[in-house]
Amino acid sequence: MTVCTFDKLVIIGVGLIGGSLARALRERAGAARCGRIVGVGRSRASVERALALGVVDEVAALDDDAGLAAALAGADFVLLAAPVAQTQPLLERIAAFLDTQTIVTDAGSTKSDVVGAARAALGARAAQFVPGHPIAGRESSGVEAALPDLYVGRNVVLCPLAENRPQDVERIESLWRATGAIVSTMSHEQHDRVFASVSHLPHLLSFALVERILNTPDAALKFSFAAGGFRDFTRIAASSPEMWRDVCLANREALVDELDGYTDVLARLRAAIVAGDGAALEAVFARSREARRQWQERGAQAGVPVGLAPK
Amino acid sequence: MTVCTFDKLVIIGVGLIGGSLARALRERAGAARCGRIVGVGRSRASVERALALGVVDEVAALDDDAGLAAALAGADFVLLAAPVAQTQPLLERIAAFLDTQTIVTDAGSTKSDVVGAARAALGARAAQFVPGHPIAGRESSGVEAALPDLYVGRNVVLCPLAENRPQDVERIESLWRATGAIVSTMSHEQHDRVFASVSHLPHLLSFALVERILNTPDAALKFSFAAGGFRDFTRIAASSPEMWRDVCLANREALVDELDGYTDVLARLRAAIVAGDGAALEAVFARSREARRQWQERGAQAGVPVGLAPK
């Protein structure tokens, strides 16, 4: 196991993601030689719960200059674990208090927009910012849901900037590895294409199916005969409308590309149905089933990310 | 519980669906005052297993005139539980041996095509045919997977023909009710619209997502970061390519209508993304989530079909 050593970690937004990082570093045997963990929230009240639960050692409020300065002084790491749309204002807020040796990272599920926000907010000091994305479940939220083993076997993707120092990227890697996560790096463009494809688009498609049914006069009858296929397909339509609105807009370029490619596939399938071309349909369905089966089998093997394993 | 009384039931195709009907009628206490249950297969060998398992009392082969005639003589009910594309040839095959009092039904997942097949094969005797569709899981198949309680709390939809005698429709209702199923009736057009919407379209969309990913140069990378949302969304892409090819073609009119309506929703969402219209996106996502939540809650209540309940 990677041991991560630090004197101070500052977590801005101590919910499921930030709280689980804190708990992992402190509670997993041998994960880290921990210094202080400081929780920062919009107000002190918003982080008191994390303090009461013992997830963080001390707290500070974003709107308190002196408290924020003290919190950030001498920090090894700062993790932004707030909604991705807040990245730029948060970085602007902390920029003046940031020590030159502090490494900042984030947990946002889109990365090109975050890179833009970091360059806009930090200028040349964006070199201190290593963009990151832990791929962890978000069905529950809040610090009460934080778990020390949330990241075990999960993927964390880092999207280093050209100006990041290699040793800083390695330090962020060691921070996440200490939680039990599997760390990969790729460009932010590639990250956004990958997640547009396997996460953002399916969410959009799932919401869209329910919307389509609602738009028809016999919606109630349809829902009353919906069964297992509908349930699985629309499980992700139970996700947060606000979060997915932000993701769709933050990653609009890659998402629209994926959507257009998908719409082309639908047009091809529609043509095959209209033409009665069973062979073309069966070829697509068989290829998809086989790829999906292989994906599931790879995930069921030991040593690959839990995110890939069948539930 | 409804008690179904009969002297002879003939099941053509004794797999999961046909075998579970037989087991339900015989093994569920008080379900039926059963006479003989006869299994008919393409050959005797294909139904020997059902006989060995005690699911049926006797067997016959479709290609044996004398055996088939004996099997059908005096039958109260005939259930066709073979792939839906075989409906017309099967009805043509049995027509000459069918007693005038025998009621025939089927288990196909599309109905307009089955009605057409029945009229073509049986002519005026289509009055003896009551189209049906038990909505039951199909992840496992074969008579070994047959269960006496497969239909408990499940929906069975009947699509009676104008020429059916009301007492014949009631007899088929009582047959399914004896298995613990909840029986509804609707027109075959309505049936096909409903299932195009909540079942056939989601399957098509799920296959299409995997196909879209396969069509991109970084497919392997994308699959390696696919997680829970992808898993749920594509679970139904593990379904039988042959079955879904047949369903798409059998229900092409309703399915193309649903696909076009769905594509319109996607175009609307795409326009909102491109325009940066977060309010429009959030409105659709929130409406979908709420409808999905209500659907799930209704399903979790007692007395509604198990097919609606969360897994």
Side-chain angles (χ1 to χ4, degrees), chain A:
Chain A
M1 181 186 284
T2 306
V3 180
C4 180
T5 304
F6 62 88
D7 291 323
K8 194 195 259 187
L9 162 64
V10 178
I11 297 173
I12 303 183
V14 192
L16 172 71
I17 295 298
S20 294
L21 175 65
R23 292 197 61 184
L25 294 172
R26 299 229 281 208
E27 299 176 38
R28 296 185 75 237
R33 283 190 286 278
C34 269
R36 309 285 285 168
I37 300 184
V38 186
V40 176
R42 230 171 302 191
S43 63
R44 283 190 71 88
S46 69
V47 275
E48 286 295 345
R49 185 87 190 117
L51 188 63
L53 290 168
V55 171
V56 297
D57 300 297
E58 46 189 282
V59 295
L62 270 173
D63 60 5
D64 167 17
D65 275 12
L68 187 60
L72 291 166
D76 298 83
F77 301 118
V78 174
L79 171 72
L80 305 185
V84 76
Q86 296 177 32
T87 305
Q88 186 166 337
L90 283 175
L91 289 173
E92 284 165 353
R93 174 67 185 142
I94 66 173
F97 307 108
L98 216 51
D99 285 357
T100 53
Q101 88 293 346
T102 302
I103 316 168
V104 184
T105 188
D106 78 312
S109 52
T110 52
K111 293 271 74 67
S112 297
D113 64 316
V114 162
V115 168
R119 294 225 163 94
L122 300 176
R125 297 179 68 195
Q128 287 175 249
F129 181 78
V130 180
H133 177 200
I135 323 298
R138 309 233 180 166
E139 278 166 44
S140 48
S141 61
V143 69
E144 291 82 1
L147 296 169
D149 60 357
L150 181 68
Y151 300 113
V152 174
R154 296 301 184 103
N155 282 304
V156 172
V157 178
L158 301 182
C159 303
L161 304 178
E163 58 265 47
N164 287 149
R165 298 188 312 164
Q167 62 266 43
D168 287 356
V169 176
E170 280 163 26
R171 286 275 281 158
I172 296 292
E173 284 184 23
S174 76
L175 181 74
W176 284 112
R177 287 220 174 87
T179 68
I182 296 161
V183 182
S184 310
T185 61
M186 61 180 79
S187 72
H188 60 84
E189 296 91 346
Q190 195 163 44
H191 170 281
D192 284 358
R193 274 201 307 275
V194 165
F195 289 93
S197 171
V198 299
S199 172
H200 310 167
L201 179 63
H203 277 81
L204 190 74
L205 299 177
S206 181
F207 283 124
L209 181 73
V210 183
E211 170 75 359
R212 162 58 189 164
I213 297 173
L214 286 171
N215 287 346
T216 56
D218 50 356
L221 184 72
K222 286 171 175 165
F223 283 123
S224 74
F225 286 97
F230 174 84
R231 179 190 53 226
D232 292 342
F233 188 92
T234 60
R235 203 184 306 274
I236 50 182
S239 305
S240 159
E242 301 77 15
M243 175 182 159
W244 285 97
R245 171 202 65 198
D246 289 350
V247 167
C248 289
L249 295 182
N251 198 21
R252 74 179 79 178
E253 202 175 321
L255 180 56
V256 166
D257 276 356
E258 284 304 315
L259 179 56
D260 289 347
Y262 183 79
T263 308
D264 289 346
V265 173
L266 289 187
R268 198 147 46 80
L269 291 172
R270 185 189 191 281
I273 294 169
V274 169
D277 186 349
L281 291 175
E282 190 179 347
V284 170
F285 297 170
R287 189 158 60 226
S288 293
R289 180 170 74 159
E290 178 57 19
R292 212 270 177 192
R293 192 191 60 73
Q294 285 183 18
W295 172 81
Q296 181 131 347
E297 282 192 359
R298 277 196 308 275
Q301 288 163 9
V304 303
V306 170
L308 303 185
K311 221 179 209 162

Side-chain angles (χ1 to χ4, degrees), chain A residues 231 245 270 282 292, chain B residues 231 245 260 270 282 292:
Chain A
R231 179 190 53 226
R245 171 202 65 198
R270 185 189 191 281
E282 190 179 347
R292 212 270 177 192
Chain B
R231 179 190 53 226
R245 171 201 66 199
D260 289 348
R270 185 189 191 283
E282 189 179 347
R292 213 271 179 193

Side-chain angles (χ1 to χ4, degrees), chain B residues 197-280:
Chain B
S197 171
V198 299
S199 172
H200 310 166
L201 179 63
H203 278 80
L204 191 74
L205 299 177
S206 181
F207 283 124
L209 181 73
V210 183
E211 171 74 359
R212 161 59 189 164
I213 297 173
L214 286 171
N215 287 346
T216 56
D218 49 356
L221 183 72
K222 286 171 175 166
F223 283 123
S224 74
F225 287 97
F230 175 84
R231 179 190 53 226
D232 291 342
F233 188 92
T234 60
R235 203 185 306 273
I236 49 181
S239 305
S240 159
E242 301 77 16
M243 176 183 158
W244 285 97
R245 171 201 66 199
D246 289 349
V247 167
C248 288
L249 295 182
N251 197 19
R252 73 179 79 179
E253 201 175 322
L255 180 55
V256 166
D257 276 356
E258 284 304 314
L259 178 56
D260 289 348
Y262 183 79
T263 307
D264 289 346
V265 173
L266 289 186
R268 198 147 48 80
L269 291 172
R270 185 189 191 283
I273 293 170
V274 169
D277 186 350

